[in-house]
Amino acid sequence: MISPTGWVAEQARLYEESGGTKGTTIQGAPCLLLDYRGRRTGQLRRTVLIYGRDGDDYLIVASNGGADEHPLWYVNLRDEPDVRLRVGTERFEARAETLSAEDKERVWPHLVDVFGRYADYQRKTERDIPVVRLSRTKG
């Protein structure tokens, strides 16, 4: 199931159908496709997320536009951390892990460089916005 949000669903479709050659940015920032399992239904779900890098790993931000609650994809990843990614033309399996406060502090400036609105989103909410590391496991 692709995200119920219209623009996300459309971009995910374009990204996948093009084999990762189109739909690979959001407002100039690089993005990836995240396939994950719903924690209650077990159904596969897909969303499009901006990413940063930390060595060989990918970093995604559970900003939810600065809302006071976590995005649903993040809540699902906490229970089901094994995911599948498409980054450009490459598809592979990965494992998701929420960064510690110390690691988040280290990578946060890079993520704000990638997508400046993250700083605004953090100011909008009292919630500490999680950063998730996606580490390749296979493929």
Side-chain angles (χ1 to χ4, degrees):
M1 178 176 159
I2 297 177
S3 171
T5 305
W7 73 266
V8 175
E10 186 56 37
Q11 184 158 1
R13 239 182 252 106
L14 175 64
Y15 203 134
E16 185 63 26
E17 289 174 2
S18 72
T21 61
K22 296 180 182 170
T24 59
T25 61
I26 298 173
Q27 297 177 20
C31 61
L32 54 76
L33 290 183
L34 173 71
D35 294 345
Y36 61 95
R37 280 208 186 272
R39 68 192 183 290
R40 289 188 292 234
T41 65
Q43 279 188 320
L44 278 175
R45 302 183 184 284
R46 175 174 289 160
T47 194
V48 180
L49 296 167
I50 292 169
Y51 70 87
R53 296 296 302 263
D54 186 31
D56 291 336
D57 297 333
Y58 296 87
L59 302 172
I60 53 176
V61 179
S63 64
N64 206 15
D68 289 331
E69 57 280 330
H70 294 309
L72 291 176
W73 63 260
Y74 175 72
V75 175
N76 284 297
L77 286 189
R78 289 188 304 191
D79 290 348
E80 298 285 342
D82 293 319
V83 299
R84 191 155 170 81
L85 304 179
R86 176 179 287 284
V87 183
T89 58
E90 199 176 4
R91 248 215 190 278
F92 55 93
E93 293 177 25
R95 185 152 182 96
E97 174 191 12
T98 301
L99 294 186
S100 67
E102 182 179 274
D103 279 345
K104 177 186 172 183
E105 185 177 334
R106 180 179 61 79
V107 301
W108 188 252
H110 162 64
L111 293 167
V112 171
D113 283 347
V114 170
F115 190 65
R117 287 187 174 174
Y118 287 146
D120 297 331
Y121 295 163
Q122 186 60 80
R123 281 191 289 273
K124 276 175 59 175
T125 183
E126 293 182 21
R127 170 177 70 92
D128 181 44
I129 294 177
V131 174
V132 176
R133 176 182 308 281
L134 301 168
S135 301
R136 184 187 298 257
T137 56
K138 292 187 220 168

